[in-house]
Amino acid sequence: MLLQQLIIGGLLTGAVYGLIGVGFTLVIGVGKIANFAHGAFVALGMYAAVFAKDRWDLNPYITLFAVVPMFALAGWLVAELFEWRGRKAGQIGELLIGLALLLVINGALEVQFGVSPRTIQGIEFGRITIFGRTILGTEILAATVTLVLALGLYAFVRYTRYGRALRAVASNPAAASLYGIRVPIAQRFAVTVSILLAGIAGIVISPFSVMTPDRGSTYLITAFAVIVVGGIGNTLGAVLAGLGIGLVTSLSSGYLSSYWTTLAPLALIMAILLTRRDLGVGS
Amino acid sequence: MSTFRSSWSLPLGLLALLVIGWFWIGAMSAATVSIAVLALYYAAGATSFNLLFGVLGIFSLAQPIFFATGGYSSVYLYNTYDLSPWIGMLVGSLVAAVLAIPIGFAAMRHSGHIITALVTLIIAQAAVPILAAIKPLGGANGLYVALEPEDDFGAMQFVAGQPYARILLVINVVLIGGLLWFKRSRFGYWAAAVHDSEQAASASGVPVQRLKVAIFVVSAAIAAPAGAVYAQYNLFVNANLFLGAGIFQVIVVALIGGAARAWGPLVGAAVAVTLTHELTDLADGRPGIGPLTFACAFLFLALVMPRGISGTWAAVVERRRPITSGGSLERPLMTVDRDVAAQPVAVGEPR
């Protein structure tokens, strides 16, 4: 009974981890950029939902449609920033931009919304009980949306012409550009899509999450865990790794003492880091 | 490579820095001293970070772990075995060095800045629950320093902030001197070679991987004492003091100051801490203003001067030199040649 409950809980959160990780892995693989602000955009999505709820009493799912173009635009601007800085100051310059954006977003959220935890009340979409665990409609919706988007991105990268171009850029940018692939556009596309997906993930989990401004750093760790387990640039690996990490976290919270809940996934990551020889196409 | 051109001006400059700083701290008000302690603490951390980032180009976010190691070691040894923090902080250095071996290995095993940055970030995050899980170290609450009734030099406890600021000043001066000496040593040239091209350095016989881990270990060891002093200043240690929201602040200070000159961290820390303090005052202590200004200053610098204040300064000086002094090309070349000639073992092209 407990086992089934924990598995359900783990898969529900794991799907969200998968979506957060799939964007991150795309950026590191294609753009060779470690976007430290990736998790912060998840937090930004969450607080966008809070803001719309506070100000206009909007349902987060309506907010979602309004915010998608905004996140796409923000993503493109951030991509331009990375591109511009990366050309002048290299990989370190890009790291700095990501780090600075993470801190700015954290600080801005803290100033605007305060440090006390926030929730969005009153949106449930019904509930069902399986194996004694009550699942909210919003949780199912979030898991479905994230899983569909993550698998959709995988299918795009794997089976379309444009996806093939992205993979070519990931494995060898110089050769890709010789074959007529516009490498900077591909890299900007990867950054934009990853930030867009991060924002969407933030909004769909907002109805049932407890939000604090520093969740950005937490989700950055999650995204990193996903790419370590799934391999850099491997989109299907990221989806599966997200589900796996969700399961490990959930099971360890059920069977181990509370210290181990945070430690178990980290121990898993360390073990992989120390044993795996090659992390994938990234550098 | 360094600001000082002859062999005498370096020790004299450091001595002047020490003396001026010493008396300046004496003249400060209590409120200013608290800013100075924070700035000097960050500056020491930033110098230890610069040993990795400035010299070797390794972007490590693990530095706060080694502050925590220093702080926890000295407080634990003092509370349990009544060992003076002066010795405790050296033991902390040793513990940090031992911890740094596996961490450095894990972080630099896979090549590339991105992997190193992310691995060290995740280890720094992991340190918080790990510290909370260790019962003798007080769990999530941390440890409180056993209080002495009055000022006690041996126990490193003072009512005023000045002594702490002075201890941190001494640590800073020692670290700056050490960093400058290191840059001119054989290992410094090896590190510069690795920074420029790992393959070329490896081909010229530099043991790249061992050198990287060794420098990582040294940078951990020199970070620990500042953490110990900071713990004594606060009279407690917990994971949040070192690894909480401030996990990026040391790195931010180092990057604002820049790695091109040894004084970079001091200037960066002074600018960042003063700015944060002033703006928090202006905003009537509204939460988040401090971190936000810190972050905005950092974003501004990342965009406008990615090499930090001292890097920009170095670039300006470099650009002006041909105009101000006649034989522009010969002078820097000759100093480099003399330095290389002074080395006991030639290691091929140093730059």
Side-chain angles (χ1 to χ4, degrees):
Chain A
M1 203 68 167
L2 179 64
L3 179 68
Q4 286 94 327
Q5 290 181 16
L6 291 174
I7 290 177
I8 292 171
L11 291 177
L12 287 173
T13 46
V16 177
Y17 290 173
L19 182 62
I20 295 170
V22 85
F24 197 57
T25 205
L26 192 70
V27 173
I28 295 197
V30 176
K32 304 282 183 286
I33 298 166
N35 181 6
F36 272 78
H38 190 73
F41 282 99
V42 180
L44 206 58
M46 291 168 132
Y47 275 95
V50 171
F51 184 78
K53 178 80 178 157
D54 283 357
R55 185 61 67 90
W56 301 293
D57 199 26
L58 278 183
N59 185 314
Y61 297 100
I62 298 170
T63 315
L64 182 62
F65 289 101
V67 160
V68 160
M70 283 158 63
F71 267 99
L73 182 66
W76 190 265
L77 291 176
V78 172
E80 287 288 344
L81 213 59
F82 276 130
E83 179 75 23
W84 171 64
R85 200 66 275 180
R87 211 181 304 133
K88 284 181 115 178
Q91 243 176 21
I92 296 290
E94 292 166 348
L95 275 178
L96 298 192
I97 295 285
L99 196 55
L101 279 176
L102 166 70
L103 295 174
V104 167
I105 292 175
N106 272 3
L109 290 177
E110 204 174 299
V111 169
Q112 178 65 33
F113 298 98
V115 283
S116 51
R118 295 289 307 264
T119 51
I120 294 179
Q121 301 289 335
I123 294 156
E124 274 190 3
F125 289 157
R127 49 176 75 199
I128 50 168
T129 307
I130 304 172
F131 297 120
R133 188 198 194 276
T134 305
I135 308 172
L136 300 177
T138 45
E139 283 186 273
I140 297 177
L141 197 62
T144 319
V145 168
T146 51
L147 209 55
V148 166
L149 282 176
L151 288 173
L153 184 63
Y154 162 70
F156 175 79
V157 171
R158 187 78 185 79
Y159 296 112
T160 65
R161 249 180 106 230
Y162 296 102
R164 195 156 62 225
L166 287 180
R167 278 184 290 139
V169 173
S171 65
N172 190 339
S177 83
L178 288 178
Y179 280 89
I181 296 167
R182 281 171 294 179
V183 174
I185 299 289
Q187 291 177 339
R188 270 171 230 182
F189 176 79
V191 174
T192 309
V193 166
S194 85
I195 286 175
L196 181 61
L197 294 183
I200 292 174
I203 291 177
V204 295
I205 60 177
S206 63
F208 53 89
S209 297
V210 179
M211 292 164 267
T212 52
D214 59 2
R215 288 302 286 274
S217 324
T218 328
Y219 282 116
L220 173 64
I221 306 293
T222 310
F224 178 59
V226 169
I227 64 149
V228 169
V229 178
I232 290 172
N234 184 345
T235 38
L236 185 63
V239 180
L240 297 178
L243 292 172
I245 290 169
L247 274 180
V248 170
T249 316
S250 173
L251 288 174
S252 63
S253 73
Y255 290 110
L256 303 169
S257 70
S258 64
Y259 293 133
W260 287 97
T261 314
T262 28
L263 275 184
L266 293 169
L268 177 75
I269 295 159
M270 277 308 283
I272 291 175
L273 275 176
L274 284 172
T275 50
R276 187 184 275 188
R277 186 146 300 162
D278 185 16
L279 282 177
V281 279
S283 65
Chain B
M1 300 227 8
S2 80
T3 358
F4 304 101
R5 296 219 157 61
S6 83
S7 56
W8 277 105
S9 54
L10 169 59
L12 283 178
L14 288 175
L15 195 67
L17 177 66
L18 184 64
V19 171
I20 292 169
W22 190 274
F23 287 108
W24 192 10
I25 288 167
M28 281 175 181
S29 66
T32 324
V33 167
S34 68
I35 298 175
V37 168
L38 199 59
L40 286 166
Y41 164 65
Y42 284 142
T47 305
S48 76
F49 173 77
N50 270 351
L51 178 62
L52 275 174
F53 179 66
V55 174
L56 214 47
I58 290 173
F59 194 88
S60 162
L61 292 159
Q63 236 51 26
I65 298 174
F66 305 123
F67 289 145
T69 311
Y72 267 97
S73 304
S74 88
V75 175
Y76 178 76
L77 289 171
Y78 181 66
N79 284 359
T80 321
Y81 301 106
D82 210 18
L83 189 72
S84 162
W86 293 98
I87 304 168
M89 69 184 188
L90 299 179
V91 178
S93 275
L94 210 63
V95 178
V98 172
L99 271 180
I101 296 171
I103 294 177
F105 183 71
M108 294 179 297
R109 207 170 144 254
H110 305 281
S111 60
H113 299 301
I114 291 178
I115 301 290
T116 309
L118 285 171
V119 172
T120 48
L121 173 68
I122 205 157
I123 293 172
Q125 294 283 325
V128 178
I130 290 172
L131 278 173
I134 302 176
K135 283 275 148 52
L137 296 182
N141 293 328
L143 294 172
Y144 288 83
V145 178
L147 290 176
E148 296 296 322
E150 54 200 9
D151 275 14
D152 187 333
F153 185 79
M156 210 194 279
Q157 286 186 22
F158 310 97
V159 175
Q162 265 93 351
Y164 296 108
R166 283 177 174 152
I167 298 168
L168 285 168
L169 177 71
V170 172
I171 291 179
N172 267 295
V173 169
V174 170
L175 290 187
I176 290 175
L179 186 65
L180 290 176
W181 170 81
F182 169 79
K183 280 186 176 178
R184 292 167 172 202
S185 74
R186 171 165 38 135
F187 298 109
Y189 287 115
W190 280 9
V194 172
H195 190 181
D196 288 347
S197 163
E198 282 194 19
Q199 275 122 0
S202 175
S204 338
V206 177
V208 174
Q209 197 62 23
R210 256 185 293 161
L211 183 76
K212 280 161 89 175
V213 175
I215 292 179
F216 191 88
V217 168
V218 172
S219 108
I222 62 176
V229 178
Y230 193 59
Q232 290 294 322
Y233 174 71
N234 286 290
L235 292 175
F236 73 92
V237 279
N238 62 25
N240 218 23
L241 181 66
F242 299 106
L243 294 154
I247 192 164
F248 296 117
Q249 301 220 337
V250 170
I251 283 91
V252 172
V253 161
L255 296 168
I256 289 177
R261 292 282 187 269
W263 47 258
L266 280 173
V267 173
V271 168
V273 174
T274 316
L275 194 69
T276 309
H277 184 80
E278 292 296 325
L279 284 167
T280 311
D281 267 8
L282 272 182
D284 286 333
R286 193 172 171 196
I289 290 289
L292 183 60
T293 48
F294 213 79
C296 287
F298 180 44
L299 181 62
F300 174 76
L301 274 152
L303 290 173
V304 179
M305 0 183 196
R307 281 153 216 280
I309 295 170
S310 75
T312 310
W313 168 263
V316 169
V317 169
E318 203 61 34
R319 217 172 298 147
R320 284 176 59 96
R321 189 170 289 162
I323 305 162
T324 50
S325 67
S328 61
L329 270 176
E330 280 84 21
R331 275 182 61 196
L333 273 179
M334 272 177 63
T335 43
V336 170
D337 283 346
R338 195 182 60 212
D339 283 350
V340 172
Q343 297 311 305
V345 178
V347 277
E349 296 293 320
R351 295 286 321 171

